[in-house]
Amino acid sequence: MAPETEAFDVVIIGGGPGGYAAALYGASAGLSVAMIEMAQVGGTCLHRGCIPAKEFLETAAVWRTVTGAAEFGVAAAAPTLDFAVSQGRKQSVVDMLTKGLSGVLANRSVTVLSGKGRLAAAGQVEVTDGLDAGRTLRAPAVILATGSTPRTLPGLEVDGRLVLTSDEFLDLDHLPASAAVVGGGAIGCEFASMLSDLGVEVTIVEGLPSILAACDAEVVSQITRSFKKRKIAMLTSAVVTGHVPSSSGTSTALAIEGREPLDVEMVVVSVGRRPMTEGVVDPSVGVEVDERGFVRADGQMRTAAQGVWAVGDIVAGTPQLAHIAFAEAMVAIKDILGEEPAPIDYLRVPWAIYCHPEVAFAGLTEAQAIEMGYDVVTKKDPFGGNGRARIVGETEGMVKVVAAKGPDGRAGQVLGVHMVGPWVTEQLGAGYLAVNWEAMVDEVAALIQPHPSLSETFGETMIALTGRGLHVG
Ligand SMILES: Cc1cc2nc3c(=O)[nH]c(=O)nc-3n(C[C@H](O)[C@H](O)[C@H](O)COP(=O)(O)OP(=O)(O)OC[C@H]3O[C@@H](n4cnc5c(N)ncnc54)[C@H](O)[C@@H]3O)c2cc1C
């Protein structure tokens, strides 16, 4: 007898940020939604990504605060680290958020199924390999949100001891004395920053000519200077070819083309992520993937197959970020509801990197703006002159604004906002709004920033761009 088919308005495969945001947003709009998850709701972000990584960066921040306490007249003993306790705290934060998410899904009457989802035919999803294996769901709209998994490099086979990806790294209960972080992107720099704060000797090994290659060049210089000051070694244009474990098995020599091998206790590979799309869709459905397995989707997140949408890390050519997955999920649901959503402008989305000092930006870098043919005006203001930054003792960094030169030769539309410094990931909101609102420098400069606040540096940069700076010329 054929299995009974359960009918929903929307079936979602994958319960990470893309999947659960689509489920919650769809349920809020009154749609009946089923979501299939083969591990735990929350996905990479909650269990192996954003939340655990930021939790450990907070451990590093606490360490810095205690180390610097004497400057404020607060006597504290030199800190020592019990990383098993940090790991335990991370896990309790993750568990609490997972419980909260499961509760919200239940409250919204989302049917959450445990198992592997597979789009077997148009509108028909089968569940295998889990508690709900054998169930078959039918829906006119199916959203693929199966996310991604870490990549590694040839010669760096992951063993969880000497060679780790972010998955294993975020589950450690102790730290090594030395580590190489292969890959100097956002995740690599966050790991290197955290390890260095906590006393690990760190080397970033990056194949490109600089770390954080997607950032504005002045942001890169600032972070590079800051990392050097903290004794984080950086090997750039460095091609890793493999590693040779020591005879004791407690360390390894990382082989780098044309350089001396690098002896470290641990190699953390953070060189990007590959999509989890294998076997998720029957080829007869007609969903198109690119040569690397990413799903092709249009501005409404529609795939090439009628009735199938894709969101999050599996989508080709879009940033692999949790907040992008959220935004794409909302676009997909609006499209399913026939609301004609505006496509996401990926050149203007917010980016946040939680290393120390933090990095946050939205919009075009100066180089991108020039390449796109803009005549640009830029201004930057260092945090060194900001009263609040002096008070908290975090004066490294700056805000840089890239604006288009108007016909009168003055700074016109805000094209990009780039920040390095204290809590800039929390300050980017105003810059993001300015860039996306297509605001003019004069308009943003007229807005009042509270005093004393870190956000005054953003305000000051805008005022300076009008040609009449207060503290900044
Ligand atoms: C170390 C690290 C730090 C990060 N930090 C940040 C950050 O600070 N900010 C940020 O915005 N982003 C960050 N990210 C990226 C972020 O985690 C991802 O962009 C986000 O999780 C993508 O969401 P997703 O729903 O597309 O995929 P995922 O989160 O990967 O979720 C996909 C889910 O689908 C499930 N699944 C897969 N196949 C199937 C199937 N066939 N059936 C059922 N279930 C299936 C998986 O088990 C998983 O739970 C970080 C990532 C890492 C690794």
Side-chain angles (χ1 to χ4, degrees), residues 5-17:
T5 305
E6 301 161 70
F8 294 89
D9 294 327
V10 183
V11 170
I12 301 161
I13 308 180

Side-chain angles (χ1 to χ4, degrees), residues 184-186 189-190 192-193 204 211-212 215-232 234 353-360 396-398 419-421 424:
C189 284
E190 288 185 2
S193 177
I204 299 175
I211 60 166
L212 297 180
C215 293
D216 188 272
E218 291 189 80
V219 169
V220 176
S221 313
Q222 175 80 55
I223 290 291
T224 305
R225 264 200 315 277
S226 173
F227 276 14
K228 271 189 190 152
K229 220 161 70 190
R230 290 163 60 200
K231 308 258 183 308
I232 298 176
M234 283 160 282
I353 305 167
Y354 298 75
C355 55
H356 177 69
E358 292 185 347
V359 174
E396 249 185 323
M398 52 126 198
M419 301 176 160
V420 194
V424 293

Side-chain angles (χ1 to χ4, degrees), residues 14 17-18 37-38 43-45 50 54 117 146-147 273 312-313 321-323:
E37 168 56 51
M38 66 180 189
T44 302
C45 168
C50 325
K54 266 85 269 186
T146 46
R273 299 177 61 83
D313 281 8
L321 293 167
H323 50 273

Side-chain angles (χ1 to χ4, degrees), residues 12-20 36-54 113 115-118 128 144-150 166-167 170 187 190-191 273 276-280 311-315 319-326 328 350 352-354:
I12 301 161
I13 308 180
Y20 75 70
I36 308 159
E37 168 56 51
M38 66 180 189
Q40 282 176 286
V41 295
T44 302
C45 168
L46 182 46
H47 300 281
R48 299 173 299 281
C50 325
I51 301 294
K54 266 85 269 186
L113 300 173
K116 241 178 165 171
R118 180 168 181 276
T128 59
L144 308 175
T146 46
S148 63
T149 192
S166 54
D167 282 0
L170 292 169
I187 295 174
E190 288 185 2
F191 286 172
R273 299 177 61 83
M276 297 265 284
T277 44
E278 230 177 277
V280 175
V311 300
D313 281 8
I314 56 165
V315 178
Q320 290 183 307
L321 293 167
H323 50 273
I324 301 303
F326 294 148
E328 290 174 347
I353 305 167
Y354 298 75

